[in-house]
């Protein structure tokens, strides 16, 4: 850790070397700074503020010429940003540092942020260093009073900077995986892995050794002269294909149809868990050429990235985007079929007070417990997601307003009965929720539905909280349904 006091900053503002700028430029080229700051970095700066009990925390990326603000916590609307000169010292020294009192600092004492509003007095910052050792940004906290940070706080700040870099690299990995998948579709024809050829009579004519590796459990069935149907019947009997179990004849007929009338690609999972992409094409003479490419790693990577993209890291429920996608899918389904769908918009009552009085660990545990309870209350076909903060959304397919009100009231009572253990205290706390309920109306879009649900939630708050308020079409009902605690 570097602590800058008067006169100890000589040479701190040296220009970054050419390798540093080249690496930063590469980051910019990959568009890593174009992320959702709230989702990716908002929690980090809020945590930094909490660790240091500081009024302001910011996270910036450096594109080679300027600092780009990615996330901030504590800045009031229209409040001036702290001088980026503080961040420059971290950037150029490439080590964590603490400026105990900027008024006595030979350079920063002249900063407008020190001499004028917001009157910054102290700063603790840590560099964001990528896997190549290049500083690509900073995370830091600002205070209006002179302060001193202990070793554990500075170590925590360094940990946060590493998490931020991990987030960036994860995004890069996701983009690279998506690019690799697109390249795979293009390359599969030119660079096939497994190769197989059936002649005009659909008898096996040629195959390579990679086919034997890919279909190891049924390799003995690959005999020159056998028909495709004969080979498939033998391989099904060995249990080679997972999705054929229990419906072997149906699966075989579908596979024969696809083979005889090939149209594009298909994916297949074998009994050992391997995923293969299959491409077949008829030649001008009527023969069938087939390629088999092992895409197991790609499928695993896809599954991991999908889980990261659609699951809230704290509660394990769907993210905002994922749950809103569910609402959209229900809207499309309702346009095709005669059915119904309702939503519950849930907000934890006085949640800020829980965090302020019992701590954020207790608040986080409360959110986890609420979600766990909600999962046991709703059906398997229903979905639960976090809209943000302490607000959640439940989508109830095939459920009208009355059914949704009953579910909401049951959920409200079950949550109110929970006892949340307080971190570092020998006591527990209870929480309540307010719930707004709305049902899709004929021809209504998701935005309108959610707006009505929000209005019901607002009304539930006005009604004293810890209650359920449902939206009712005045043309069908004479008054709103409301269940109170």
């Amino acid at each position: 850790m570097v602590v800058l006091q008067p006169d100890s900053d000589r040479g701190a503002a040296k220009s970054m070397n050419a390798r540093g700028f080249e690496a930063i430029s590469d980051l910019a080229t990959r568009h890593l700074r174009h992320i959702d700051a709230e989702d990716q970095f908002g929690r980090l700066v809020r945590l930094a503020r909490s660790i240091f009990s500081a009024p302001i925390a910011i996270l910036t990326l450096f594109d080679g010429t300027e600092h780009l603000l990615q996330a901030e916590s504590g800045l009031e609307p229209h409040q001036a940003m702290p001088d980026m000169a503080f961040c420059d010292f971290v950037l150029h020294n490439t080590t964590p540092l603490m400026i105990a009192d900027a008024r006595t600092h030979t350079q920063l004492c002249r900063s407008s942020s020190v001499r004028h509003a917001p009157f910054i007095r102290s700063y603790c910052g840590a560099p964001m260093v990528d896997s190549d050792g290049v500083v690509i940004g900073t995370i830091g906290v600002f205070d209006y009073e002179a302060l001193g940070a202990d070793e554990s706080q500075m170590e925590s700040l360094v940990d946060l900077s590493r998490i931020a870099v991990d987030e960036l690299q994860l995004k890069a990995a996701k983009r690279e995986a998506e690019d690799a998948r697109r390249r795979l579709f293009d390359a599969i024809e030119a660079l096939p892995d497994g190769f197989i050829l059936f002649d005009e009579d659909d008898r096996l004519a040629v195959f390579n050794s990679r086919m034997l590796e890919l279909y190891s459990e049924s390799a003995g069935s690959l005999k020159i002269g056998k028909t495709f149907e004969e080979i498939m019947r033998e391989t099904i009997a060995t249990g080679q294909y997972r999705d054929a179990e229990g419906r072997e004849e149906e699966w075989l007929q579908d596979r024969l149809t696809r083979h005889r009338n090939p149209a594009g690609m298909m994916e297949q999972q074998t009994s050992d868990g391997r995923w293969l992409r299959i491409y077949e094409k008829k030649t001008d003479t009527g023969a069938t050429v087939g390629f088999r490419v092992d895409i197991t790693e790609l499928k695993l990577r896809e599954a991991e990235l999908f889980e990261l993209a659609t699951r809230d890291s704290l509660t394990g429920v769907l993210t905002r985007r994922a749950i809103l996608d569910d609402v959209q899918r229900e809207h499309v389904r309702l346009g095709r079929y005669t059915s119904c769908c309702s939503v519950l918009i849930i907000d934890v009552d006085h949640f800020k007070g829980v965090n302020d009085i019992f701590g954020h660990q207790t608040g986080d545990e409360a959110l986890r417990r609420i979600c766990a309870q909600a999962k046991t209350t709703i059906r398997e076909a229903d979905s639960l997601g976090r809209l943000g903060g302490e607000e959640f959304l439940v989508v109830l397919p095939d459920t009208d307003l009355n059914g949704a009100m009953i579910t909401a009231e049951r959920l409200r009572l079950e949550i109110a009965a929970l006892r949340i253990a307080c971190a570092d205290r020998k006591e527990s706390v209870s929480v309540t929720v307010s719930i707004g309920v709305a049902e899709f109306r004929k021809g209504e879009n998701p935005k309108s539905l959610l707006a009505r649900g929000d209005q019901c939630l607002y009304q539930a708050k006005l009604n004293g909280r810890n209650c359920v308020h449902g939206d009712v079409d005045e043309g069908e009902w004479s008054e709103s349904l409301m269940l109170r605690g």
Side-chain angles (χ1 to χ4, degrees), residues 324-383:
L324 292 180
D325 285 345
D326 275 3
V327 176
Q328 181 62 40
R329 277 190 287 271
E330 281 302 303
H331 175 248
V332 173
R333 186 180 68 87
L334 292 176
R336 296 175 178 173
Y337 308 102
T338 302
S339 185
C340 56
C341 176
S342 299
V343 296
L344 313 181
I345 300 182
I346 306 168
D347 188 79
V348 184
D349 298 326
H350 304 296
F351 185 68
K352 183 178 184 300
V354 175
N355 279 332
D356 291 344
I357 296 171
F358 300 100
H360 287 276
Q361 284 184 321
T362 301
D364 289 348
E365 179 61 18
L367 295 182
R368 283 190 287 263
R369 290 286 303 282
I370 288 171
C371 290
Q373 182 60 58
K375 289 178 182 177
T376 64
T377 302
I378 63 179
R379 305 164 302 179
E380 185 175 349
D382 304 331
S383 54

Side-chain angles (χ1 to χ4, degrees), residues 23 55 113 120 134 148 181 224 240-241 279 300 329 338 379 417 430 436:
S113 296
I120 298 299
V134 177
R181 185 182 183 186
I224 300 298
Q240 179 79 69
Y241 308 113
Y279 178 78
L300 292 174
R329 277 190 287 271
T338 302
R379 305 164 302 179
S430 61

Side-chain angles (χ1 to χ4, degrees), residues 39 43 167 308 311-317 319 368 386:
D39 286 348
R43 291 191 296 271
E167 293 278 6
L308 287 171
R311 290 289 169 183
D312 176 62
S313 60
L314 174 64
T315 62
V317 301
T319 60
R368 283 190 287 263
R386 187 179 182 187

Side-chain angles (χ1 to χ4, degrees), residues 27-37 40-41 61 63 68-70 168 171-172 175 321:
L27 279 175
T29 300
R30 287 185 283 163
H31 305 293
L32 291 183
R33 67 175 185 269
H34 299 304
I35 63 173
D36 187 330
Q40 299 286 351
F41 293 144
L61 293 181
D63 69 352
L68 303 172
L69 178 67
Q70 294 297 315
L168 289 173
K171 185 174 179 65
R175 182 178 289 113
R321 175 177 293 181

Side-chain angles (χ1 to χ4, degrees), residues 7 55 77 84 101 121 172 185 187 190 216 227 271 289 312 376 406 417 423-424 437 446 453 464-465:
D7 301 323
M84 290 295 102
D101 191 340
R121 292 292 175 266
F185 277 97
S216 57
T227 66
S271 58
V289 178
D312 176 62
T376 64
I406 293 171
D424 302 325
V437 185
R465 294 183 169 85

Side-chain angles (χ1 to χ4, degrees), residues 103-118:
R103 294 172 301 182
T104 60
H105 191 277
T106 55
Q107 293 186 31
L108 294 176
C109 66
R110 298 187 294 272
S111 168
S112 59
S113 296
V114 175
R115 298 173 59 191
H116 307 290

Side-chain angles (χ1 to χ4, degrees), residues 276-288:
L276 304 177
R277 178 165 288 144
I278 299 174
Y279 178 78
E280 294 178 322
K281 185 176 181 179
K282 290 288 185 180
T283 67
D284 293 339
T285 61
T288 304

